[in-house]
Amino acid sequence: MLAILILILRYLLMILLYLFLGWAIYTLWRDLRFQSQVVTTQKIPRITLTLESDVDNSPRVFNKPELILGRDPECDLCVPDEVVSSRHARLIYRYMQWWVEDLQSTNGTFLNDQRVETATVIIKGDELRIGRQIVLIDIETFE
């Protein structure tokens, strides 16, 4: 009789353990789904880049979270200058801000005449110098 009681208690404990694990997995899944909805609805502000030395001085408007600047024609902003590396710098939108990173370029990336050593926040009106080219930055603000 005691053996049957212990067996029943074991089964009840096992069922409770599986219920707890199911609840924990469901809670994690629900939180992950909520976070993914927050990320997908996050609006990326448009960033406008203008090459100061460009003949037609036409601004280029981007609305994606990552931009590559460099001499390579595959880059988002192609800078035709032999001093600029093929993949010179990266602009990335994260933590609700635009950041600039140097991609180990030969001649360095400068933000407002300060060398970019680590990822640095950029704001509207900043000047980014890559090689001999100056890129003017304008960021859309939400109201």
Side-chain angles (χ1 to χ4, degrees):
M1 185 70 174
L2 185 60
I4 294 175
L5 185 62
I6 290 175
L7 183 65
I8 291 172
L9 286 175
R10 278 185 170 174
Y11 281 129
L12 285 175
L13 185 61
M14 185 177 65
I15 291 170
L16 285 175
L17 179 64
Y18 281 120
L19 286 174
F20 173 75
L21 287 175
W23 172 78
I25 290 171
Y26 171 74
T27 302
L28 288 172
W29 174 77
R30 190 182 63 205
D31 287 345
L32 282 173
R33 193 178 73 198
F34 175 73
Q35 288 298 324
S36 70
Q37 287 174 349
V38 167
V39 168
T40 56
T41 60
Q42 176 184 358
K43 189 171 181 183
I44 299 170
R46 287 187 307 216
I47 186 167
T48 304
L49 304 176
T50 308
L51 279 173
E52 196 174 66
S53 64
D54 201 3
V55 175
D56 59 355
N57 209 15
S58 62
R60 292 165 185 89
V61 180
F62 299 97
N63 195 21
K64 58 184 196 174
E66 183 175 335
L67 303 170
I68 303 294
L69 287 67
R71 193 178 64 233
D72 187 1
E74 297 294 319
C75 290
D76 297 303
L77 180 65
C78 181
V79 181
D81 186 354
E82 65 274 356
V83 181
V84 175
S85 298
S86 60
R87 291 175 50 89
H88 197 97
R90 174 170 66 165
L91 301 178
I92 188 165
Y93 186 74
R94 63 177 172 220
Y95 308 123
M96 305 293 286
Q97 294 177 318
W98 279 101
W99 297 72
V100 62
E101 297 175 343
D102 184 56
L103 297 177
Q104 299 176 352
S105 62
T106 306
N107 296 313
T109 302
F110 294 84
L111 179 64
N112 299 325
D113 293 325
Q114 298 289 322
R115 188 178 186 102
V116 174
E117 301 288 338
T118 61
T120 306
V121 174
I122 56 176
I123 59 172
K124 183 177 185 171
D126 278 344
E127 289 184 356
L128 187 66
R129 183 165 50 90
I130 55 176
R132 293 179 293 216
Q133 303 294 321
I134 294 179
V135 180
L136 304 174
I137 298 171
D138 186 24
I139 300 172
E140 173 187 53
T141 56
F142 296 119
E143 295 165 15

CSV table of all heavy atoms in Angstrom, one decimal, residues 110-131:
chain,number,residue,atom,x,y,z
A,110,PHE,N,36.8,60.6,-39.2
A,110,PHE,CA,36.8,61.7,-38.3
A,110,PHE,C,35.4,62.2,-38.2
A,110,PHE,O,34.7,62.5,-39.2
A,110,PHE,CB,37.7,62.8,-38.7
A,110,PHE,CG,39.2,62.4,-38.7
A,110,PHE,CD1,39.7,61.6,-39.7
A,110,PHE,CD2,39.9,62.6,-37.6
A,110,PHE,CE1,41.0,61.2,-39.7
A,110,PHE,CE2,41.3,62.2,-37.5
A,110,PHE,CZ,41.8,61.5,-38.6
A,111,LEU,N,34.9,62.4,-37.0
A,111,LEU,CA,33.6,63.0,-36.7
A,111,LEU,C,33.8,64.4,-36.1
A,111,LEU,O,34.4,64.5,-35.0
A,111,LEU,CB,32.8,62.1,-35.8
A,111,LEU,CG,31.4,62.6,-35.4
A,111,LEU,CD1,30.5,62.7,-36.7
A,111,LEU,CD2,30.7,61.7,-34.4
A,112,ASN,N,33.5,65.4,-36.8
A,112,ASN,CA,33.7,66.8,-36.3
A,112,ASN,C,35.2,67.0,-35.9
A,112,ASN,O,35.5,67.5,-34.8
A,112,ASN,CB,32.8,67.2,-35.1
A,112,ASN,CG,31.3,67.1,-35.5
A,112,ASN,OD1,31.0,67.4,-36.7
A,112,ASN,ND2,30.5,66.6,-34.6
A,113,ASP,N,36.1,66.6,-36.8
A,113,ASP,CA,37.5,66.7,-36.6
A,113,ASP,C,38.1,65.9,-35.4
A,113,ASP,O,39.2,66.1,-35.0
A,113,ASP,CB,38.0,68.1,-36.5
A,113,ASP,CG,37.7,68.9,-37.8
A,113,ASP,OD1,37.9,68.3,-38.9
A,113,ASP,OD2,37.4,70.1,-37.8
A,114,GLN,N,37.3,64.9,-34.9
A,114,GLN,CA,37.8,64.0,-33.8
A,114,GLN,C,37.8,62.6,-34.4
A,114,GLN,O,36.8,62.2,-35.0
A,114,GLN,CB,36.9,64.1,-32.6
A,114,GLN,CG,36.8,65.4,-31.9
A,114,GLN,CD,38.0,65.8,-31.2
A,114,GLN,OE1,38.7,64.9,-30.6
A,114,GLN,NE2,38.4,67.0,-31.3
A,115,ARG,N,39.0,62.0,-34.3
A,115,ARG,CA,39.1,60.6,-34.8
A,115,ARG,C,38.1,59.6,-34.1
A,115,ARG,O,38.0,59.7,-32.9
A,115,ARG,CB,40.5,60.1,-34.7
A,115,ARG,CG,40.8,58.8,-35.4
A,115,ARG,CD,42.2,58.4,-35.3
A,115,ARG,NE,42.5,57.2,-36.1
A,115,ARG,CZ,43.1,57.2,-37.3
A,115,ARG,NH1,43.5,58.4,-37.8
A,115,ARG,NH2,43.2,56.1,-38.0
A,116,VAL,N,37.5,58.8,-34.9
A,116,VAL,CA,36.5,57.8,-34.4
A,116,VAL,C,37.3,56.6,-34.0
A,116,VAL,O,37.8,55.9,-34.9
A,116,VAL,CB,35.4,57.5,-35.4
A,116,VAL,CG1,34.5,56.4,-34.9
A,116,VAL,CG2,34.6,58.8,-35.7
A,117,GLU,N,37.5,56.3,-32.7
A,117,GLU,CA,38.2,55.1,-32.3
A,117,GLU,C,37.2,54.0,-32.0
A,117,GLU,O,37.5,52.8,-32.2
A,117,GLU,CB,39.0,55.4,-31.0
A,117,GLU,CG,40.0,56.5,-31.2
A,117,GLU,CD,41.2,56.1,-32.1
A,117,GLU,OE1,41.5,54.9,-32.2
A,117,GLU,OE2,41.9,57.0,-32.6
A,118,THR,N,36.1,54.3,-31.4
A,118,THR,CA,35.0,53.4,-31.1
A,118,THR,C,33.7,53.9,-31.6
A,118,THR,O,33.6,55.0,-32.2
A,118,THR,CB,34.9,53.2,-29.5
A,118,THR,OG1,34.5,54.5,-29.0
A,118,THR,CG2,36.2,52.7,-28.9
A,119,ALA,N,32.7,53.1,-31.5
A,119,ALA,CA,31.4,53.5,-32.0
A,119,ALA,C,31.0,54.8,-31.3
A,119,ALA,O,31.0,54.9,-30.1
A,119,ALA,CB,30.3,52.4,-31.8
A,120,THR,N,30.5,55.8,-32.1
A,120,THR,CA,30.2,57.1,-31.6
A,120,THR,C,28.9,57.5,-32.1
A,120,THR,O,28.5,57.3,-33.2
A,120,THR,CB,31.3,58.1,-32.0
A,120,THR,OG1,32.6,57.6,-31.7
A,120,THR,CG2,31.1,59.4,-31.4
A,121,VAL,N,28.1,58.2,-31.2
A,121,VAL,CA,26.8,58.7,-31.5
A,121,VAL,C,26.9,59.9,-32.5
A,121,VAL,O,27.8,60.7,-32.2
A,121,VAL,CB,26.0,59.1,-30.3
A,121,VAL,CG1,24.7,59.7,-30.6
A,121,VAL,CG2,25.7,57.9,-29.4
A,122,ILE,N,26.1,59.9,-33.5
A,122,ILE,CA,26.1,61.1,-34.4
A,122,ILE,C,24.7,61.7,-34.3
A,122,ILE,O,23.7,61.1,-34.0
A,122,ILE,CB,26.4,60.7,-35.9
A,122,ILE,CG1,25.4,59.6,-36.4
A,122,ILE,CG2,27.8,60.3,-36.0
A,122,ILE,CD1,25.6,59.3,-37.8
A,123,ILE,N,24.7,63.0,-34.5
A,123,ILE,CA,23.5,63.8,-34.4
A,123,ILE,C,23.3,64.7,-35.6
A,123,ILE,O,24.3,64.8,-36.4
A,123,ILE,CB,23.4,64.7,-33.1
A,123,ILE,CG1,24.6,65.7,-33.1
A,123,ILE,CG2,23.4,63.8,-31.9
A,123,ILE,CD1,24.6,66.7,-32.0
A,124,LYS,N,22.2,65.3,-35.7
A,124,LYS,CA,21.9,66.2,-36.9
A,124,LYS,C,22.9,67.3,-36.9
A,124,LYS,O,23.2,67.9,-35.9
A,124,LYS,CB,20.5,66.7,-36.7
A,124,LYS,CG,20.0,67.6,-37.8
A,124,LYS,CD,18.6,68.0,-37.6
A,124,LYS,CE,18.1,68.8,-38.8
A,124,LYS,NZ,16.7,69.0,-38.7
A,125,GLY,N,23.5,67.6,-38.1
A,125,GLY,CA,24.4,68.6,-38.3
A,125,GLY,C,25.9,68.2,-38.1
A,125,GLY,O,26.8,69.1,-38.4
A,126,ASP,N,26.2,67.0,-37.8
A,126,ASP,CA,27.6,66.5,-37.7
A,126,ASP,C,28.2,66.5,-39.0
A,126,ASP,O,27.5,66.3,-40.1
A,126,ASP,CB,27.6,65.2,-37.0
A,126,ASP,CG,27.6,65.2,-35.5
A,126,ASP,OD1,27.7,66.3,-34.9
A,126,ASP,OD2,27.3,64.2,-34.9
A,127,GLU,N,29.5,66.6,-39.0
A,127,GLU,CA,30.3,66.4,-40.3
A,127,GLU,C,31.2,65.2,-40.1
A,127,GLU,O,32.0,65.1,-39.1
A,127,GLU,CB,31.2,67.6,-40.5
A,127,GLU,CG,30.4,68.8,-40.9
A,127,GLU,CD,31.3,70.0,-41.3
A,127,GLU,OE1,32.5,69.9,-41.1
A,127,GLU,OE2,30.7,71.0,-41.7
A,128,LEU,N,31.2,64.3,-41.1
A,128,LEU,CA,31.9,63.1,-41.0
A,128,LEU,C,33.0,63.2,-42.1
A,128,LEU,O,32.6,63.4,-43.3
A,128,LEU,CB,31.0,61.9,-41.3
A,128,LEU,CG,31.6,60.5,-41.1
A,128,LEU,CD1,32.0,60.2,-39.7
A,128,LEU,CD2,30.6,59.5,-41.6
A,129,ARG,N,34.3,63.0,-41.8
A,129,ARG,CA,35.3,63.1,-42.8
A,129,ARG,C,35.9,61.7,-43.0
A,129,ARG,O,36.4,61.1,-42.1
A,129,ARG,CB,36.4,64.1,-42.4
A,129,ARG,CG,37.5,64.2,-43.5
A,129,ARG,CD,38.4,65.4,-43.2
A,129,ARG,NE,38.9,65.6,-41.9
A,129,ARG,CZ,40.1,65.0,-41.5
A,129,ARG,NH1,40.8,64.3,-42.4
A,129,ARG,NH2,40.5,65.2,-40.3
A,130,ILE,N,35.8,61.3,-44.2
A,130,ILE,CA,36.4,60.0,-44.6
A,130,ILE,C,37.4,60.3,-45.8
A,130,ILE,O,36.9,60.8,-46.8
A,130,ILE,CB,35.4,58.9,-45.0
A,130,ILE,CG1,34.4,59.4,-46.0
A,130,ILE,CG2,34.6,58.5,-43.8
A,130,ILE,CD1,33.5,58.3,-46.5
A,131,GLY,N,38.6,60.1,-45.6
A,131,GLY,CA,39.6,60.5,-46.5
A,131,GLY,C,39.7,62.0,-46.7
A,131,GLY,O,39.8,62.7,-45.7
